[in-house]
Amino acid sequence: MTRQTVLVTGGSGFLAGHCILALLKAGYDVRTTLRSPAREAGLRATLAATGAELDGRLQVAIADLTADAGWDAAVAGCSHVLHVASPLLTAAPPDEDELIRPAREGTLRVLRAAHRAGIKRVVLTSSFAAIGYGRPLDRPYDERDWTDPAAPGLAAYPKSKTLAEKAAWDFVDGEGQGLELAVVNPVGIFGPLLGPDLSASIVLIRTMLEGKLRAVPQLMFGVVDVRDVAELHLRAMTDPAAAGERFLATAGDFMTMRAIAEALKAGLGQRADRVSTVVLPNWLVRLVARFSATARQAATPELGRKKTATGAKAIAMLGWQPRPAAEALVATGESLFRLGLVSPPRP
Ligand code: NAP
C-alpha cells in the first residue's frame, strides 16, 4: 500500500521537527518546507540523530511564507497539511508587520495552495496567543475565547497569531469552502530540543538556567510538551470530529514564573543552581521598563494578572493525554545540557 504524504511547513522549527518525527512514526511519508536549501542537510542530520528512518520518506520543498513561489509544488500529492511555520521573535520588531505579514498572508498562501490541490484537511498551528490576550477573564480560557487584536498594548506576536487564525477561518468559510480546517492553540511549548535552534519559549529556560534572570517577574505561563503538541496535531488531522474545531493545548493550569523556576530546581538538582526564585515586584518591573528593553517585554498589561486555561476539549474529544508540565520543563533543561547549549554550573 502506498503511504500518504503529509506536508509540514517550516521543518527547521522546534515543533515542526517533532511533528515530522510523529508522522514518520505513525507511518506517513513527510514533505517539509524550508526557506533555504542550505538548511536541508542540517535538518536531515538532526532528525536522523533521533534514530528516525528518513530514507525515501522525507522530501524537502523550498518556500517562504512571504512569497507565492513554491507553495503549489509543496502541497502537490499530499493528503494533509500541517501549517506550523510562523515567525517568532525573541525581541519585539520595530515594525509589527514583520510578524503579522508572514503569519497572516503566509497562512492564506498555504490554505489557497491546499485548496487548489484538493487537500482534505489542513491543521493550523495557532496559539493561546490568539485566545487569551487583551481580554481578562475570571474563568479559565477555552476555545470560545479570542484575543482582541485591537487591545491597547497588545504585542505584535499575539496580534499576528490572532489575525492569521481569523484569516484562516474566514478563508474556509468563503473562497476555500470544501477544505477542512482544524486548529491547535498551544500555550508555551517546552520539552526536548532536537537541535541547536532555540525557539522563543526555550530561550527563556536557557536564560533561567544560565542565571541571567536574577529575579522573576509576576507573569503566568501555560506549559505543554512539544511531543504532546505534535501528537495533538496528528489527532486533529485524522479524527473526523476535529474538522472545524479549535483545540487549546495545555498540560494543566498556568504556572507563575516562580513555579517554573521551582520545577526546574526540583527536576534538575544542582544543574539548576543558577535559577533564581526571587520574585520582582510589579512596580519595579514597570520602573525599569522605562530604561530597559528586556524589562519592557515583561511590563505588559499581563504583568501581575492571574490567568489559566483548560485543555479539557482536546482530552475529551480527541483522547489527548498530555504529560505533566514539570516533565516538559525538565526535558527542556536536560536537552539544553545534552546538546551543550548550556554549560552546567561549576561545582
Ligand atoms: P520556531 O522553532 O521558531 O519555528 C518557526 C518556524 O517558522 C521555523 O521553521 C521558521 O523558519 C519558520 N518561519 C518563520 N518565518 C518564516 C517565513 N517567512 N517563511 C517560512 N518559514 C518561516 O518556533 P516553534 O516554537 O516551533 O513554533 C511553531 C509554531 O507554533 C508557530 O506557528 C508558533 O506561532 C506556534 N506556537 C509556538 C509556541 C511556543 O511556545 N514556541 C506556543 C504557541 C504556538 P526558519 O528556521 O527559516 O527561521
Short mmCIF file of all heavy atoms in Angstrom, two decimals, residues 237-278:
data_model
loop_
_atom_site.label_atom_id
_atom_site.label_comp_id
_atom_site.label_asym_id
_atom_site.label_seq_id
_atom_site.Cartn_x
_atom_site.Cartn_y
_atom_site.Cartn_z
N MET A 237 -5.59 15.99 12.75
CA MET A 237 -5.52 15.72 11.31
C MET A 237 -6.41 14.55 10.90
O MET A 237 -6.98 14.53 9.82
CB MET A 237 -4.05 15.40 10.97
CG MET A 237 -3.76 15.11 9.54
SD MET A 237 -2.00 14.78 9.32
CE MET A 237 -1.99 12.99 9.34
N THR A 238 -6.56 13.57 11.80
CA THR A 238 -7.22 12.32 11.39
C THR A 238 -8.60 12.13 12.00
O THR A 238 -9.40 11.39 11.44
CB THR A 238 -6.35 11.11 11.81
OG1 THR A 238 -6.01 11.25 13.20
CG2 THR A 238 -5.10 11.02 10.99
N ASP A 239 -8.89 12.73 13.13
CA ASP A 239 -10.18 12.45 13.78
C ASP A 239 -11.29 13.19 13.04
O ASP A 239 -11.23 14.41 12.91
CB ASP A 239 -10.12 12.91 15.25
CG ASP A 239 -11.28 12.34 16.06
OD1 ASP A 239 -12.42 12.40 15.57
OD2 ASP A 239 -11.03 11.84 17.16
N PRO A 240 -12.30 12.47 12.55
CA PRO A 240 -13.37 13.15 11.81
C PRO A 240 -14.00 14.28 12.62
O PRO A 240 -14.38 15.31 12.06
CB PRO A 240 -14.40 12.03 11.56
CG PRO A 240 -13.64 10.76 11.70
CD PRO A 240 -12.50 11.02 12.65
N ALA A 241 -14.07 14.12 13.94
CA ALA A 241 -14.74 15.13 14.78
C ALA A 241 -13.95 16.43 14.87
O ALA A 241 -14.48 17.45 15.31
CB ALA A 241 -14.94 14.56 16.19
N ALA A 242 -12.68 16.42 14.46
CA ALA A 242 -11.83 17.60 14.66
C ALA A 242 -12.04 18.68 13.60
O ALA A 242 -11.64 19.83 13.80
CB ALA A 242 -10.37 17.19 14.71
N ALA A 243 -12.66 18.32 12.47
CA ALA A 243 -12.83 19.32 11.40
C ALA A 243 -13.66 20.48 11.90
O ALA A 243 -14.69 20.29 12.54
CB ALA A 243 -13.49 18.67 10.19
N GLY A 244 -13.20 21.69 11.64
CA GLY A 244 -13.96 22.88 12.03
C GLY A 244 -13.79 23.25 13.49
O GLY A 244 -14.51 24.11 13.99
N GLU A 245 -12.83 22.64 14.19
CA GLU A 245 -12.68 22.87 15.63
C GLU A 245 -11.32 23.47 15.97
O GLU A 245 -10.33 23.23 15.28
CB GLU A 245 -12.81 21.54 16.40
CG GLU A 245 -14.13 20.82 16.19
CD GLU A 245 -15.30 21.49 16.92
OE1 GLU A 245 -15.07 22.33 17.82
OE2 GLU A 245 -16.46 21.17 16.56
N ARG A 246 -11.29 24.21 17.10
CA ARG A 246 -10.03 24.67 17.71
C ARG A 246 -9.76 23.81 18.92
O ARG A 246 -10.71 23.41 19.61
CB ARG A 246 -10.13 26.09 18.24
CG ARG A 246 -10.73 27.12 17.37
CD ARG A 246 -10.98 28.42 18.14
NE ARG A 246 -9.83 29.31 18.11
CZ ARG A 246 -9.72 30.41 18.86
NH1 ARG A 246 -10.66 30.72 19.75
NH2 ARG A 246 -8.66 31.18 18.77
N PHE A 247 -8.49 23.56 19.21
CA PHE A 247 -8.12 22.77 20.40
C PHE A 247 -7.01 23.49 21.16
O PHE A 247 -5.89 23.65 20.65
CB PHE A 247 -7.64 21.37 19.99
CG PHE A 247 -8.71 20.56 19.33
CD1 PHE A 247 -8.77 20.48 17.94
CD2 PHE A 247 -9.69 19.91 20.07
CE1 PHE A 247 -9.78 19.78 17.31
CE2 PHE A 247 -10.70 19.20 19.46
CZ PHE A 247 -10.74 19.13 18.07
N LEU A 248 -7.33 23.90 22.36
CA LEU A 248 -6.35 24.55 23.23
C LEU A 248 -5.46 23.46 23.82
O LEU A 248 -5.97 22.48 24.38
CB LEU A 248 -7.10 25.31 24.31
CG LEU A 248 -6.42 26.50 24.94
CD1 LEU A 248 -7.45 27.41 25.59
CD2 LEU A 248 -5.37 26.12 25.94
N ALA A 249 -4.15 23.59 23.66
CA ALA A 249 -3.22 22.56 24.13
C ALA A 249 -2.46 23.07 25.34
O ALA A 249 -1.57 23.92 25.21
CB ALA A 249 -2.25 22.19 23.01
N THR A 250 -2.82 22.57 26.52
CA THR A 250 -2.08 22.91 27.73
C THR A 250 -1.98 21.67 28.61
O THR A 250 -2.92 20.87 28.65
CB THR A 250 -2.73 24.09 28.50
OG1 THR A 250 -1.97 24.35 29.67
CG2 THR A 250 -4.18 23.83 28.89
N ALA A 251 -0.84 21.55 29.31
CA ALA A 251 -0.66 20.38 30.17
C ALA A 251 -1.47 20.51 31.45
O ALA A 251 -1.68 19.53 32.15
CB ALA A 251 0.82 20.22 30.51
N GLY A 252 -1.92 21.71 31.78
CA GLY A 252 -2.67 21.89 33.03
C GLY A 252 -2.78 23.37 33.30
O GLY A 252 -2.69 24.19 32.38
N ASP A 253 -2.97 23.72 34.57
CA ASP A 253 -3.12 25.12 34.93
C ASP A 253 -1.87 25.92 34.60
O ASP A 253 -0.76 25.37 34.57
CB ASP A 253 -3.40 25.24 36.44
CG ASP A 253 -4.88 24.99 36.73
OD1 ASP A 253 -5.71 25.19 35.83
OD2 ASP A 253 -5.18 24.57 37.87
N PHE A 254 -2.04 27.21 34.41
CA PHE A 254 -0.90 28.09 34.17
C PHE A 254 0.00 28.11 35.41
O PHE A 254 -0.46 27.91 36.53
CB PHE A 254 -1.38 29.50 33.84
CG PHE A 254 -1.74 29.66 32.38
CD1 PHE A 254 -2.29 28.61 31.67
CD2 PHE A 254 -1.51 30.85 31.72
CE1 PHE A 254 -2.61 28.74 30.33
CE2 PHE A 254 -1.82 31.00 30.37
CZ PHE A 254 -2.38 29.95 29.68
N MET A 255 1.28 28.40 35.18
CA MET A 255 2.26 28.43 36.27
C MET A 255 2.86 29.83 36.36
O MET A 255 3.08 30.49 35.34
CB MET A 255 3.41 27.44 36.00
CG MET A 255 2.94 26.00 35.91
SD MET A 255 4.28 24.93 35.32
CE MET A 255 5.26 24.74 36.81
N THR A 256 3.14 30.26 37.59
CA THR A 256 3.90 31.50 37.73
C THR A 256 5.34 31.21 37.30
O THR A 256 5.78 30.06 37.28
CB THR A 256 3.92 31.98 39.19
OG1 THR A 256 4.52 30.93 39.96
CG2 THR A 256 2.53 32.28 39.70
N MET A 257 6.08 32.28 37.01
CA MET A 257 7.48 32.06 36.65
C MET A 257 8.24 31.48 37.83
O MET A 257 9.19 30.72 37.67
CB MET A 257 8.11 33.35 36.16
CG MET A 257 7.63 33.63 34.73
SD MET A 257 8.59 34.89 33.92
CE MET A 257 10.16 34.11 33.73
N ARG A 258 7.80 31.84 39.03
CA ARG A 258 8.46 31.27 40.21
C ARG A 258 8.23 29.75 40.27
O ARG A 258 9.15 28.98 40.58
CB ARG A 258 7.92 31.92 41.47
CG ARG A 258 8.64 31.40 42.66
CD ARG A 258 8.18 31.97 43.94
NE ARG A 258 8.98 31.34 44.98
CZ ARG A 258 9.20 31.85 46.13
NH1 ARG A 258 8.69 33.00 46.46
NH2 ARG A 258 9.92 31.21 47.00
N ALA A 259 7.00 29.30 39.96
CA ALA A 259 6.71 27.85 39.96
C ALA A 259 7.52 27.15 38.88
O ALA A 259 7.98 26.01 39.06
CB ALA A 259 5.22 27.62 39.77
N ILE A 260 7.72 27.83 37.74
CA ILE A 260 8.55 27.25 36.67
C ILE A 260 9.98 27.08 37.18
O ILE A 260 10.62 26.04 37.00
CB ILE A 260 8.48 28.13 35.41
CG1 ILE A 260 7.08 28.02 34.78
CG2 ILE A 260 9.57 27.78 34.41
CD1 ILE A 260 6.82 28.93 33.60
N ALA A 261 10.48 28.12 37.86
CA ALA A 261 11.85 28.07 38.41
C ALA A 261 11.96 26.92 39.42
O ALA A 261 12.95 26.17 39.42
CB ALA A 261 12.18 29.41 39.08
N GLU A 262 10.94 26.76 40.24
CA GLU A 262 10.99 25.69 41.26
C GLU A 262 10.94 24.31 40.61
O GLU A 262 11.61 23.38 41.06
CB GLU A 262 9.85 25.88 42.27
CG GLU A 262 10.19 26.98 43.27
CD GLU A 262 9.01 27.47 44.09
OE1 GLU A 262 7.86 27.08 43.78
OE2 GLU A 262 9.25 28.27 45.02
N ALA A 263 10.16 24.18 39.54
CA ALA A 263 10.08 22.88 38.85
C ALA A 263 11.45 22.53 38.24
O ALA A 263 11.87 21.37 38.26
CB ALA A 263 9.01 22.93 37.76
N LEU A 264 12.15 23.55 37.71
CA LEU A 264 13.49 23.29 37.15
C LEU A 264 14.44 22.84 38.24
O LEU A 264 15.23 21.90 38.08
CB LEU A 264 14.03 24.54 36.46
CG LEU A 264 13.32 24.95 35.16
CD1 LEU A 264 13.80 26.32 34.69
CD2 LEU A 264 13.56 23.91 34.05
N LYS A 265 14.36 23.50 39.39
CA LYS A 265 15.26 23.16 40.50
C LYS A 265 14.97 21.74 41.01
O LYS A 265 15.89 20.95 41.25
CB LYS A 265 15.10 24.16 41.65
CG LYS A 265 15.81 25.49 41.37
CD LYS A 265 15.69 26.39 42.57
CE LYS A 265 16.58 27.62 42.46
NZ LYS A 265 18.01 27.37 42.34
N ALA A 266 13.68 21.41 41.13
CA ALA A 266 13.31 20.08 41.65
C ALA A 266 13.75 18.98 40.68
O ALA A 266 14.21 17.92 41.10
CB ALA A 266 11.79 20.01 41.87
N GLY A 267 13.64 19.24 39.38
CA GLY A 267 13.92 18.19 38.40
C GLY A 267 15.37 18.09 37.99
O GLY A 267 15.84 17.03 37.58
N LEU A 268 16.11 19.21 38.07
CA LEU A 268 17.49 19.21 37.54
C LEU A 268 18.53 19.30 38.64
O LEU A 268 19.74 19.23 38.37
CB LEU A 268 17.67 20.39 36.57
CG LEU A 268 16.83 20.32 35.29
CD1 LEU A 268 16.86 21.66 34.55
CD2 LEU A 268 17.34 19.21 34.37
N GLY A 269 18.08 19.43 39.89
CA GLY A 269 19.01 19.44 41.02
C GLY A 269 20.07 20.52 40.87
O GLY A 269 19.77 21.65 40.48
N GLN A 270 21.32 20.13 41.11
CA GLN A 270 22.43 21.10 41.11
C GLN A 270 22.58 21.84 39.79
O GLN A 270 23.06 22.97 39.73
CB GLN A 270 23.74 20.38 41.38
CG GLN A 270 23.95 20.09 42.84
CD GLN A 270 25.29 19.41 43.05
OE1 GLN A 270 25.81 18.76 42.14
NE2 GLN A 270 25.84 19.57 44.24
N ARG A 271 22.17 21.17 38.70
CA ARG A 271 22.34 21.81 37.39
C ARG A 271 21.46 23.06 37.27
O ARG A 271 21.65 23.88 36.37
CB ARG A 271 22.02 20.82 36.27
CG ARG A 271 23.14 19.79 36.09
CD ARG A 271 22.77 18.77 35.05
NE ARG A 271 21.58 18.02 35.43
CZ ARG A 271 20.91 17.23 34.62
NH1 ARG A 271 21.29 17.06 33.37
NH2 ARG A 271 19.84 16.58 35.06
N ALA A 272 20.47 23.19 38.18
CA ALA A 272 19.60 24.39 38.16
C ALA A 272 19.96 25.35 39.29
O ALA A 272 19.16 26.22 39.64
CB ALA A 272 18.14 23.97 38.24
N ASP A 273 21.19 25.23 39.82
CA ASP A 273 21.59 26.09 40.94
C ASP A 273 21.52 27.58 40.61
O ASP A 273 21.33 28.41 41.49
CB ASP A 273 23.03 25.76 41.38
CG ASP A 273 23.03 24.62 42.39
OD1 ASP A 273 21.91 24.19 42.78
OD2 ASP A 273 24.12 24.15 42.77
N ARG A 274 21.74 27.93 39.33
CA ARG A 274 21.76 29.37 38.98
C ARG A 274 20.36 29.94 38.75
O ARG A 274 20.21 31.14 38.52
CB ARG A 274 22.62 29.58 37.73
CG ARG A 274 24.10 29.35 38.00
CD ARG A 274 24.91 29.33 36.72
NE ARG A 274 24.51 28.23 35.84
CZ ARG A 274 25.18 27.82 34.78
NH1 ARG A 274 26.31 28.42 34.44
NH2 ARG A 274 24.76 26.82 34.04
N VAL A 275 19.33 29.06 38.80
CA VAL A 275 17.95 29.54 38.56
C VAL A 275 17.48 30.32 39.78
O VAL A 275 17.56 29.84 40.91
CB VAL A 275 17.00 28.34 38.31
CG1 VAL A 275 15.56 28.82 38.22
CG2 VAL A 275 17.41 27.60 37.04
N SER A 276 16.99 31.51 39.55
CA SER A 276 16.54 32.36 40.66
C SER A 276 15.05 32.18 40.91
O SER A 276 14.26 32.08 39.96
CB SER A 276 16.81 33.83 40.32
OG SER A 276 16.19 34.65 41.28
N THR A 277 14.67 32.12 42.19
CA THR A 277 13.23 32.07 42.53
C THR A 277 12.79 33.38 43.19
O THR A 277 11.70 33.47 43.73
CB THR A 277 12.94 30.89 43.48
OG1 THR A 277 13.81 30.99 44.60
CG2 THR A 277 13.11 29.55 42.83
N VAL A 278 13.66 34.38 43.14
CA VAL A 278 13.31 35.69 43.73
C VAL A 278 12.27 36.37 42.83
O VAL A 278 12.43 36.41 41.61
CB VAL A 278 14.57 36.59 43.83
CG1 VAL A 278 14.19 37.99 44.32
CG2 VAL A 278 15.60 35.94 44.72
#
